[in-house]
């Protein structure tokens, strides 16, 4: 008496499910902040052109230097960009930056960020990516920004976007492709 | 005073099956230890990344919602209040099948099942069926009924999979949420339509659940408009006990059927978002109640079908004026009809709420708002129970119709005293209602974030509960005295009464509403401490002291008097009055520990002591109608990608009053789910596994049960 849904109904349902199992609707995605940022940086690298002298040869990797050193600890990029793979290099000391192709500063302390940006200011071929406030105004090339959406008084949803400073990329001798510029929230500087 | 009130009597003998529970404990021990073994074995493996974000495009990435690593609920650390969040994942993995059951996950919340369709839910005490001092909102719509001051939990439901989160705010929320948010606020928030795209079908069947099915479909229309439509039906027909006469301790309810259907549409542009949602429902169950009449046999067991139906329509507009300023306008209309034994109520509520938030002055976040609510209700005797012969109405409300207005305005300022370190929130709400006039509900809280991982807060607030319609206008005959009971008659009419003096007419016990009641008031003082000693661990401690005044109770203020209409009888009147004071204090401790990427533990302990200063029967009932200690431990383990195992252990302390003793109970739920495909989940949930049955509040026994559920996304 208590089981009103018969065995047959269930079998029929399960059968139906197998029939339609191929159609998967995309569910909204949620990700840990730095995993998502790593995904962004991979995409940045895809749409940035470094000059030839930045690499030893066609197969040498793109070095992504990150500070704090452990911020991308659990992240491994599974694919390459063309013939190059992306290697994550923890930032240990200031000497390290010379060989970096991308420098990611995952800190909010503006004084610290300015200090690091000053070190790379006159170096070529380093794509600086940061998340501190006014990162692009301070001379960084790509700055993450968070877009907040209020759920209610207590909660909000956060999504990432980014700003670009073209003057800074010009100084670094980097060319940013239109795919990058068109998805940015704000593009500052020349062109 | 020993009087014959309908619902109080001794509970049936408690049956405990030791052997089974011992076996079960063994099984759990084995499961938990096996689980930790498995988990350890996996710990060395590289952590699997559920989504490789480097494969997504920039456009896709911009739509990803980001969360921080810790299990700390977003933004909660920035609030100077005791807030607990039950997430969609918690609801799914706990295996609960209804909103009141889900609330058991939160610390400081007392949930007790009174009967198949009734729950007593409160926060920090003063529990009863119409636990009248917590405010419950579903998507901003108050489901607190102004008729009985409380929530009809039997008609609050939705597709559980569409709930995004349930926020439980312990302590007064009167400043922001308005009157009746005395002991706390329960905020049920459903997902945005864009987060419920595609189809969902759930089918559930079980020993206590009967069967239930829900279907939802979400889609997109145009560029920025998303919608969903849903329907849910259940039939819980398992409660096949029945009362034999009015002396029975418990009046059964059975054949509980519910059907509801609704929709939600959201449209968004850069600066605006607009939501329209609505729902209709119908609910019915078979029940029995004891009908009182003035002629022999005085008490008559009556069969009844209790029906309720209603619906609501709601619109919400959010507009960002600038980066530092936004407004919210919300309008809704709600209509609910419900049977209450012989009578039926119809309640219509229209509500408009406006809020504006801005950060114009440096270091200040100011929220202010204004609201208007119209409440219209109407009571009638159900036709089948009108009694032309004796014309005696055990339940009468005067006036039978009422229209009431409520105006309110509030302002709250959060000041950064030391940026990123110390903030002070000060606010107050003024509310005017037609019954008690102007009510002022101020609040202040201080939040000290002494590191990114630790914060401390303290608050003080005043909140009020306004008298309900029944408390101000009801006349209800709750009992009738059996004249053959000599002892009782002597207790009531004095020891000297004898022979011919004993009244020949029946004697009723009648509760009278009082239209001069004041609001109940609460002054609450709280402190809280939060810490994240490690990335994977979040701990929270809160302590509170509540001082209640002018609590509304029924007091016996007069001796029996004769009444001639409709036939001679004596009435022992009890009048509602603001004649009780009290205090409650206690603490809550909760922790959330992501032991391993695939294993999470959540635990909470709540302590509550209540003292009410009044020496009558009712005072003592109230005092002990809440458990002193409560403990909950939940374990969520992923076994590979497809299987999830959840175990939930709960302990609830005993309740006792003069008539009923509810023993403490320990209970355990387990859920195991299997996801053979990305779109399909099958699960089996066992509930209340440690005992064959246990009581929680009333003689009603909550039984051990098992159900099977299928979730299919298409």
């Amino acid at each position: 008496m208590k089981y009103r849904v018969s065995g047959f109904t269930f079998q029929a349902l399960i059968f139906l499910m197998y029939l339609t199992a191929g159609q998967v609707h995309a569910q909204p995605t949620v990700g840990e902040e730095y995993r998502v940022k790593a995904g962004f940086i991979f995409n940045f690298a895809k749409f940035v052109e470094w000059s030839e002298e930045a690499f030893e040869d066609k197969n040498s990797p793109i070095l992504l230097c990150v500070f704090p050193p452990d911020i991308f600890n659990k992240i491994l990029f599974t694919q390459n960009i063309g013939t190059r793979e992306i290697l994550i290099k923890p930032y240990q000391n200031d000497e390290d930056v010379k060989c970096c192709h991308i420098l990611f500063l995952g800190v909010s302390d503006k004084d610290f960020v300015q200090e690091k940006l000053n070190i790379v200011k006159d170096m070529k071929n380093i794509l600086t990516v940061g998340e501190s406030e006014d990162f692009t105004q301070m001379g960084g090339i790509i700055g993450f920004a968070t877009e907040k959406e209020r759920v209610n008084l207590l909660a909000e949803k956060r999504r990432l976007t980014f700003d670009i400073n073209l003057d800074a990329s010009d100084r670094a001798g980097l060319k940013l492709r239109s795919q990058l510029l068109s998805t940015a929230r704000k593009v500052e500087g020349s062109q | 005073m020993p009087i014959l009130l309908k619902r109080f009597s001794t509970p049936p003998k408690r049956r405990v099956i030791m052997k089974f529970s011992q076996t079960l404990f063994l099984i759990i021990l084995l499961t938990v230890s096996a689980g930790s073994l498995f988990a350890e074995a996996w710990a060395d493996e590289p952590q699997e990344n559920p989504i490789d974000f480097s494969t997504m495009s920039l456009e896709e990435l911009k739509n990803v919602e980001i969360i921080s690593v810790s299990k700390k609920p977003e933004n909660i650390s920035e609030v100077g209040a005791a807030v607990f969040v039950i997430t969609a994942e918690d609801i799914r993995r706990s295996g609960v099948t209804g909103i009141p059951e889900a609330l058991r996950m939160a610390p400081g919340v007392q949930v007790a099942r009174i009967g198949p369709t009734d729950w007593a839910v409160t926060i920090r005490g003063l529990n009863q069926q119409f636990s009248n001092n917590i405010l419950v909102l579903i998507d901003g719509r108050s489901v607190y009924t102004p008729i009985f001051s409380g929530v009809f939990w039997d008609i609050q439901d939705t597709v559980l999979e569409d709930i995004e989160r349930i926020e439980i705010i312990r302590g007064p929320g009167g400043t922001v949420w308005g009157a009746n948010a005395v002991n706390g606020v329960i905020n049920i928030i459903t997902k945005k339509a864009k987060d419920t795209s595609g189809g969902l079908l759930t089918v559930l069947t079980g020993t206590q659940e009967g069967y239930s099915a829900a279907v939802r479909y979400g889609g997109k229309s145009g560029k920025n408009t998303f919608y969903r439509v849903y329907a849910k039906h259940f039939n819980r027909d398992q409660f096949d006990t029945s009362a034999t006469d009015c002396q029975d301790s418990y009046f059964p309810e059975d054949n509980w059927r519910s059907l509801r259907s609704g929709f939600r549409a959201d449209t968004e542009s850069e600066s605006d978002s607009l939501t329209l949602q609505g729902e209709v429902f119908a609910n019915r169950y078979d029940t029995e109640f004891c009908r009182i009449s003035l002629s022999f046999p005085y008490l008559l067991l009556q069969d009844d079908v209790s029906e309720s139906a209603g619906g609501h329509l709601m619109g919400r507009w959010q507009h960002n004026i600038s980066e530092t300023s936004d407004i919210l306008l919300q309008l809704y209309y709600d209509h609910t009809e419900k049977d209450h034994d012989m009578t039926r109520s119809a309640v219509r509520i229209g509500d408009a709420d406006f809020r504006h938030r801005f950060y114009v002055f440096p270091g200040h976040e100011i929220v202010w708002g204004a609201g208007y609510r119209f409440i219209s209700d109407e009571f009638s005797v159900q036709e089948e129970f009108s009694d032309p012969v004796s014309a005696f109405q055990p339940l009468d409300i005067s006036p039978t119709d009422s229209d009431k207005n409520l105006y309110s305005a509030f302002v709250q300022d959060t000041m950064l005293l030391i940026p990123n370190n110390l903030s002070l929130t000060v606010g107050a709400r003024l509310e005017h209602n037609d019954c008690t006039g102007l009510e002022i509900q101020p609040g202040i809280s201080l939040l000290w974030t002494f590191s990114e991982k630790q914060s401390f807060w303290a608050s003080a607030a005043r909140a009020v509960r306004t008298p309900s319609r029944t408390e101000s206008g009801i006349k209800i005959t709750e009992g009738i005295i059996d004249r053959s009971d000599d002892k009782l008659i002597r207790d009531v009419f004095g020891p000297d009464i004898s022979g011919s003096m004993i009244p020949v007419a029946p004697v009723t016990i009648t509760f009278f509403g009082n239209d001069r009641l004041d609001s109940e008031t609460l002054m609450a003082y709280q402190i809280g401490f939060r810490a994240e000693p490690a990335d994977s661990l979040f701990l929270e401690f809160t302590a509170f002291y509540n001082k209640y005044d002018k609590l509304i109770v029924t007091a016996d203020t007069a001796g029996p008097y004769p009444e001639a209409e409709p036939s001679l009888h004596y009435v022992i009147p009890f009048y509602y009055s603001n004649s009780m004071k009290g205090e409650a204090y206690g603490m809550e401790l909760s922790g959330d520990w992501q032991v391993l990427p695939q294993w999470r533990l959540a635990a909470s302990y709540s302590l509550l002591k209540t003292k009410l200063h009044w020496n009558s029967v009712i005072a003592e009932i109230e005092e002990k109608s809440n458990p002193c200690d409560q403990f909950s431990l939940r374990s969520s383990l992923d076994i590979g990608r497809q299987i999830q195992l959840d175990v939930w252990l709960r302990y609830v302390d005993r309740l006792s009053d003069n008539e009923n003793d509810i023993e403490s109970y320990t209970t355990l739920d387990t859920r195991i789910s299997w996801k053979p495909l990305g779109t399909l989940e099958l699960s089996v949930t066992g509930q209340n596994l440690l005992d064959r049955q246990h009581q929680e509040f009333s003689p009603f026994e909550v039984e051990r049960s098992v159900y099977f559920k299928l979730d299919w996304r298409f």
Side-chain angles (χ1 to χ4, degrees), chain B residues 598-650:
Chain B
Q598 55 280 81
W599 187 28
R600 178 185 161 206
L601 289 176
S604 71
Y605 167 74
S606 314
L607 172 77
L608 170 69
K609 299 263 185 200
T610 312
K611 280 184 194 149
L612 297 166
H613 310 292
W614 201 48
N615 49 357
S616 88
V617 181
I618 289 163
E620 282 169 43
I621 292 169
E622 296 266 7
E623 186 181 358
K624 291 171 190 166
S625 63
N626 294 284
C628 182
D629 302 290
Q630 285 194 108
F631 174 76
S632 157
L633 175 67
R634 282 181 292 143
S635 156
S636 300
L637 179 70
D638 295 349
I639 304 170
R641 279 161 187 256
Q642 292 185 341
I643 293 172
Q644 293 183 326
L645 176 68
D646 287 82
V647 181
W648 184 9
L649 183 74
R650 285 187 294 119

Side-chain angles (χ1 to χ4, degrees), chain A residues 1-5 10 13-14 16-18 20-21 23-44 46-47 74-79 108 146-147 149-162 179-180 182-185, chain B residues 47 49 51-59 61-69 74-75 79 83 164-165 167 169 176-177 187 189 192 194-195 197-198 201 203 205-207 210-211 217 235 237-238 240 268 318 326 355 357 359 367 676-677 679-680 706 708 710 712-714:
Chain A
M1 274 307 283
K2 282 158 189 165
Y3 294 92
R4 289 288 174 79
V5 178
F10 267 113
L13 271 172
I14 288 165
L16 250 174
M17 249 161 262
Y18 275 103
T20 50
Q23 311 168 357
V24 183
H25 278 256
Q27 288 293 309
T29 319
V30 174
E32 278 176 27
E33 179 170 350
Y34 287 97
R35 285 183 181 279
V36 182
K37 282 185 172 163
F40 267 100
I41 291 171
F42 183 88
N43 271 273
F44 298 157
K46 272 204 304 211
F47 302 122
K74 296 170 198 157
I75 291 162
L76 265 177
F77 293 111
T78 50
Q79 19 169 14
S108 54
T146 311
E147 288 196 328
E149 181 190 357
R150 269 282 144 184
V151 177
N152 61 12
L153 273 179
L154 287 171
E156 59 190 13
K157 282 186 176 178
R158 297 184 302 147
R159 294 185 171 84
L160 289 171
T161 182
F162 58 93
Q179 289 97 320
L180 199 51
S182 63
T183 37
R185 181 182 67 167
Chain B
Q47 189 192 348
N49 184 355
I51 303 161
D52 183 359
F53 290 103
S54 65
T55 60
M56 291 172 77
S57 74
L58 285 172
E59 280 298 342
L61 286 167
K62 284 173 81 175
N63 281 317
V64 175
E65 183 192 338
I66 54 172
I67 51 168
S68 45
V69 192
E74 287 294 290
N75 289 49
V79 180
V83 180
E164 161 134 353
R165 52 202 264 130
E167 284 169 0
I169 300 154
V176 174
W177 307 102
N187 221 338
I189 299 153
K192 287 197 164 191
K194 81 173 167 202
D195 296 335
S197 61
L201 174 75
V203 181
T205 178
T207 54
Y211 68 82
Y217 186 79
N235 184 348
D237 61 352
Q238 66 287 10
D240 44 13
E268 271 176 45
Q318 257 172 302
D326 56 69
R355 256 157 220 232
R357 206 161 58 100
Y359 310 82
V367 190
L677 305 163
T679 52
L680 176 68
V706 177
F708 171 81
L710 173 152
W712 175 42
R713 286 170 202 279
F714 57 93

Side-chain angles (χ1 to χ4, degrees), chain A residues 35-67:
Chain A
R35 285 183 181 279
V36 182
K37 282 185 172 163
F40 267 100
I41 291 171
F42 183 88
N43 271 273
F44 298 157
K46 272 204 304 211
F47 302 122
V48 170
E49 285 173 30
W50 279 270
S51 61
E52 293 212 350
E53 69 258 27
F55 299 98
E56 276 178 27
D57 59 58
K58 276 200 156 198
N59 297 319
S60 47
I62 298 171
L63 277 186
L64 163 60
C65 301
V66 296
F67 188 89

